[in-house]
Amino acid sequence: MEHGSKKKQKGHSKIEPFISQSGDHNPRKLRSWAKRTGFISIFSGEVGTSSTRHGYDLERGGGGEPVPGRARNGQFEIEPGLNRNEAEEPILLDDSRNGGDINNNEGLKDVMYPGGEGESDNNRPEMKCGIRDNPGLVPLLYYGMQHYLSLAGSLIFAPLIFVPAMGGTDKDTATVISTIMLVSGITTILHSYFGTRLPLVQGSSFVFLAPALVIINSHEYRNLSENKFRHIMRELQGAIIVSSVFQCIMGFTGLMSLFLRLINPVVVAPTIGAVGLAFFSYGFPQAGSCVEISLPQILLVLIFSLHLRGVSIFGNQVFQIYAAPLSIVVIWVYAFFLTTGGAYNYKGCSSDIPVSNILIDSCIKHAYTMKHCRTDASNAWETTDWVRIPYPLQWGIPIFHLRTSAIMIVVSLVASVDSVGTYYSASMHINAKPPTRGIVSRGIGLEGFCSVLAGLWGTGAGSTTLTENAHTVTITRIASRRAVELGGVILIVFSFIGKVGAILASIPQALAAALLCVVWALIVALGLSTLRYTHTASFRNIMIVGVSLFLGLSLPTYLQQYQPETALILPGYFIPYSAASDGPINSGNKQFDFIMNALLSMNMVVTLLVAIVLDNTVSGSQQERGVYLWSTSEDLSADPSSLDDYSLPKKVSRVFRWAKCLDA
């Protein structure tokens, strides 16, 4: 034992020099060398490996030699993610970055347990293309298209749900899809230049789908008969514009920096999870209208994304990256053969206009199946022009009402929480330093401005950072913002071709619902994966997440029992979104009642409120809670180039020098 102890001390007595094979100073190689030698950088806060579990005295060290695991200022810094395979023992962590001071404590009382913290550098995927890399025009075109195709389900499928619910025609659905492509392209480019500058695609998030369905299915709007689609769309436009202005103020005034103190992984995880779970009543009940199409679709996308994820073609994991578009094409062709083969032909029922079959008694039971399963049920191709440029106020002047605006303002907070989690996860995946609170505020403020554009153009939903971005960056290993910008340009060009929107609007509804089942499940998984930045074994954390999710699902269900007549009017999958007019809150003020019943009927709003209250009132150390480690001004002063990835273009930076929240 004595000999072993001497050997260990001797091994730490000298640090081997860093020798680069290629003459450059690759950050990944430097980190690897630092971990191997226990080197501590006084500039970037690089840390070494722990020696405490081997009986080495960290406090006394040895004779002026560098002490692995000890910072130059006498504080301990042990990097999260190291030595995971050694251990049931906790890993000691420095609390100083979160405002704590270890020197004021008698001992190290905060611990982080292996497996509960964030990723180590070794577990992060190596990027093929960095955030500022420019591999050339052809690779950028390919990477840009790849990025957007992997997000196809999230970008374009929402209108297939809410446009028919609003009473819109197939042509209206095609127009909304084209509008979403245009706004998504514009807002992605804007965010890449003036937002956080991370390679994140902006689009019509599912966060805004739930409140849209709540408004659509309330008494006041579901009973409209004349110009129902345009009237509801204008109502949504007004609500989105008001909530977007609120989001702009939050971001550009720096208020978001204060709100960030309440947002931690324990809050983000259940909130994002609730966004996906909010649609469980729509998913398979809608897909089940045509199980011969929906089940193969679900199975195929799972086979592509899971069983075949390791298959590489020309160096690309084609099946994992293109799981959604590939499976859609295959099953769509299969559905076409079913349609042309007569699988949905019924005696005496018209195959040209399935909806008209509800007028014939013998065809009523088949009308629903024909509408959802036939590939020729949509007339979008015949009614849509080849060239059509979406323009602002194309549906008319927005309508502004207090009740719908108040609902959207609260939902914009949920969208902000979603984006904050995505910013942090994306920065970790691309091996960049986390942004500062000011950069996060800048991103949220710009998302608010982009949502104003979405409201003016009439997409039916606000524009925000898509949750699936972090997953896309991980599987494609492409972090170039130039690729995302070029992909945005391509999306804008496609939006001018009306027939592109028509093709997408012609996807059978059962097929779309089946893919959305997997997309929503992915959102739930991505949300819960945020817990890797916390102590996943902490009773405090798992209790907060569990209670938040359960109440987020159960409380809205409670509100539904106060609307028995609704079950006779609406399809079953829309009943959870119809409590705004019939909920239990009845104060006598119709505006207040509508707002409160609507908000409490949305899973994600209830989950966010419960999670924020519990996480910020239940005691717990900062390491246990997994508080986000945003970069600070001290990091910037120590290493001015560390946040270059987030810096605004020089000319823009000079214009907005007055706004502190825009600083990198």
Side-chain angles (χ1 to χ4, degrees):
M1 289 295 293
E2 185 178 351
H3 175 71
S5 176
K6 290 180 179 179
K7 186 176 181 179
K8 285 184 173 64
Q9 292 191 26
K10 183 179 180 181
H12 289 299
S13 63
K14 187 176 181 180
I15 295 180
E16 64 179 272
F18 174 76
I19 301 175
S20 175
Q21 299 291 335
S22 57
D24 61 345
H25 291 79
N26 186 290
R28 185 175 293 277
K29 294 179 181 177
L30 281 169
R31 279 194 294 268
S32 176
W33 170 80
K35 291 175 188 175
R36 187 172 66 252
T37 61
F39 174 76
I40 309 296
S41 169
I42 63 174
F43 297 106
S44 62
E46 282 289 307
V47 293
T49 56
S50 173
S51 300
T52 57
R53 59 173 57 90
H54 300 297
Y56 193 74
D57 192 339
L58 288 173
E59 194 62 50
R60 295 179 181 176
E65 297 294 340
V67 182
R70 182 172 179 178
R72 296 292 177 91
N73 59 4
Q75 295 179 349
F76 297 104
E77 290 185 339
I78 304 299
E79 179 161 336
L82 295 179
N83 300 325
R84 290 185 180 178
N85 57 346
E86 288 188 19
E88 295 89 13
E89 294 186 20
I91 300 174
L92 302 178
L93 288 178
D94 174 21
D95 196 30
S96 60
R97 286 194 66 183
N98 289 318
D101 187 357
I102 274 183
N103 291 330
N104 292 334
N105 298 328
E106 294 185 2
L108 292 175
K109 299 178 181 178
D110 293 331
V111 297
M112 180 166 290
Y113 294 90
E117 70 278 8
E119 300 170 284
S120 69
D121 290 331
N122 293 332
N123 290 335
R124 296 174 187 168
E126 184 175 354
M127 294 291 110
K128 291 181 181 177
C129 189
I131 190 169
R132 286 182 284 173
D133 289 349
N134 184 6
L137 181 60
V138 175
L140 283 177
L141 282 171
Y142 171 72
Y143 292 150
M145 290 297 297
Q146 171 182 269
H147 206 90
Y148 283 85
L149 284 173
S150 65
L151 291 168
S154 303
L155 276 173
I156 60 176
F157 275 29
L160 298 177
I161 299 175
F162 67 78
V163 173
M166 294 164 63
T169 63
D170 296 327
K171 181 180 179 180
D172 293 330
T173 303
T175 303
V176 172
I177 290 176
S178 296
T179 304
I180 286 177
M181 288 194 294
L182 173 65
V183 174
S184 178
I186 293 174
T187 55
T188 298
I189 294 172
L190 288 175
H191 189 86
S192 180
Y193 274 99
F194 311 116
T196 62
R197 308 209 70 195
L198 288 166
L200 302 175
V201 174
Q202 309 295 297
S204 296
S205 171
F206 291 117
V207 173
F208 291 94
L209 179 57
L213 292 176
V214 166
I215 294 171
I216 291 167
N217 290 293
S218 61
H219 275 314
E220 292 80 351
Y221 302 106
R222 69 170 178 248
N223 295 327
L224 292 174
S225 56
E226 187 176 355
N227 295 323
K228 178 180 178 180
F229 169 75
R230 284 182 174 269
H231 184 85
I232 297 178
M233 179 61 81
R234 290 161 58 204
E235 186 79 43
L236 291 175
Q237 286 181 260
I240 290 169
I241 291 173
V242 172
S243 66
S244 303
V245 171
F246 171 80
Q247 201 172 10
C248 280
I249 294 173
M250 283 279 292
F252 291 136
T253 61
L255 290 175
M256 192 65 202
S257 297
L258 301 177
F259 186 54
L260 281 177
R261 300 178 186 276
L262 304 178
I263 303 176
N264 299 310
V266 176
V267 174
V268 172
T271 302
I272 298 179
V275 171
L277 291 174
F279 306 103
F280 75 93
S281 64
Y282 179 91
F284 202 81
Q286 181 78 317
S289 61
C290 193
V291 292
E292 62 272 19
I293 291 177
S294 58
L295 281 180
Q297 169 62 42
I298 293 174
L299 290 174
L300 194 60
V301 72
L302 290 177
I303 290 172
F304 283 167
S305 59
L306 295 176
H307 296 85
L308 300 180
R309 70 183 187 279
V311 177
S312 179
I313 300 178
F314 299 113
N316 294 301
Q317 294 174 315
V318 174
F319 292 105
Q320 186 180 24
I321 296 173
Y322 303 110
L326 278 178
S327 60
I328 282 288
V329 170
V330 171
I331 303 301
W332 200 354
V333 171
Y334 163 66
F336 171 77
F337 283 118
L338 287 179
T339 301
T340 56
Y344 306 115
N345 291 340
Y346 302 99
K347 186 177 180 181
C349 304
S350 172
S351 60
D352 295 328
I353 315 176
V355 178
S356 67
N357 292 311
I358 62 175
L359 304 176
I360 306 173
D361 292 339
S362 60
C363 294
I364 291 177
K365 61 181 180 180
H366 302 303
Y368 187 80
T369 300
M370 296 174 71
K371 177 65 177 175
H372 287 73
C373 303
R374 294 186 67 94
T375 56
D376 58 359
S378 172
N379 64 355
W381 181 265
E382 292 81 8
T383 57
T384 304
D385 297 328
W386 272 100
V387 177
R388 184 189 183 278
I389 300 177
Y391 55 92
L393 306 180
Q394 58 188 334
W395 310 114
I397 303 299
I399 300 173
F400 299 93
H401 283 141
L402 173 62
R403 55 188 178 184
T404 52
S405 298
I407 293 170
M408 283 295 183
I409 286 175
V410 176
V411 170
S412 69
L413 290 177
V414 179
S416 298
V417 171
D418 189 345
S419 295
V420 166
T422 305
Y423 292 165
Y424 192 86
S425 296
S427 67
M428 293 295 99
H429 286 311
I430 65 176
N431 300 318
K433 288 184 70 69
T436 63
R437 294 178 186 272
I439 294 171
V440 173
S441 292
R442 187 176 78 202
I444 296 300
L446 192 75
E447 283 191 16
F449 175 75
C450 293
S451 287
V452 172
L453 299 182
L456 290 174
W457 257 271
T459 61
S463 178
T464 185
T465 300
L466 297 178
T467 311
E468 303 87 308
N469 269 292
H471 172 68
T472 298
V473 170
T474 302
I475 62 175
T476 61
R477 293 187 293 158
I478 302 299
S480 172
R481 54 174 168 242
R482 285 189 175 88
V484 173
E485 292 161 5
L486 191 55
V489 172
I490 296 173
L491 209 62
I492 292 172
V493 173
F494 281 162
S495 71
F496 298 155
I497 306 173
K499 295 299 183 182
V500 173
I503 292 173
L504 297 173
S506 301
I507 297 175
Q509 292 187 15
L511 181 57
L515 180 62
L516 286 174
C517 285
V518 181
V519 171
W520 288 327
L522 175 61
I523 292 175
V524 175
L526 290 173
L528 296 180
S529 70
T530 307
L531 291 173
R532 68 185 181 274
Y533 301 115
T534 72
H535 283 191
T536 52
S538 165
F539 176 77
R540 173 195 180 276
N541 293 345
I542 60 178
M543 192 64 180
I544 291 175
V545 172
V547 170
S548 302
L549 278 175
F550 180 82
L551 291 180
L553 294 174
S554 187
L555 184 58
T557 304
Y558 164 75
L559 269 69
Q560 296 167 23
Q561 64 183 339
Y562 288 88
Q563 40 184 342
E565 73 282 355
T566 303
L568 304 175
I569 302 172
L570 293 175
Y573 47 79
F574 280 148
I575 292 178
Y577 310 105
S578 58
S581 302
D582 304 308
I585 298 177
N586 188 9
S587 65
N589 186 319
K590 291 185 177 180
Q591 294 272 20
F592 178 79
D593 295 344
F594 186 94
I595 294 171
M596 294 306 299
N597 284 319
L599 291 176
L600 293 178
S601 69
M602 286 186 281
N603 310 80
M604 55 190 177
V605 173
V606 176
T607 300
L608 174 62
L609 293 176
V610 175
I612 281 185
V613 171
L614 290 179
D615 186 50
N616 290 279
T617 56
V618 179
S619 62
S621 67
Q622 291 183 319
Q623 286 89 356
E624 181 183 15
R625 295 171 64 192
V627 175
Y628 283 131
L629 297 177
W630 305 111
S631 295
T632 63
S633 57
E634 288 79 10
D635 296 329
L636 187 59
S637 60
D639 185 3
S641 64
S642 61
L643 296 176
D644 283 351
D645 290 339
Y646 304 104
S647 299
L648 290 170
K650 291 183 179 180
K651 293 182 179 180
V652 177
S653 183
R654 284 198 295 268
V655 172
F656 292 101
R657 189 178 301 168
W658 54 271
K660 184 178 180 180
C661 65
L662 299 181
D663 292 341

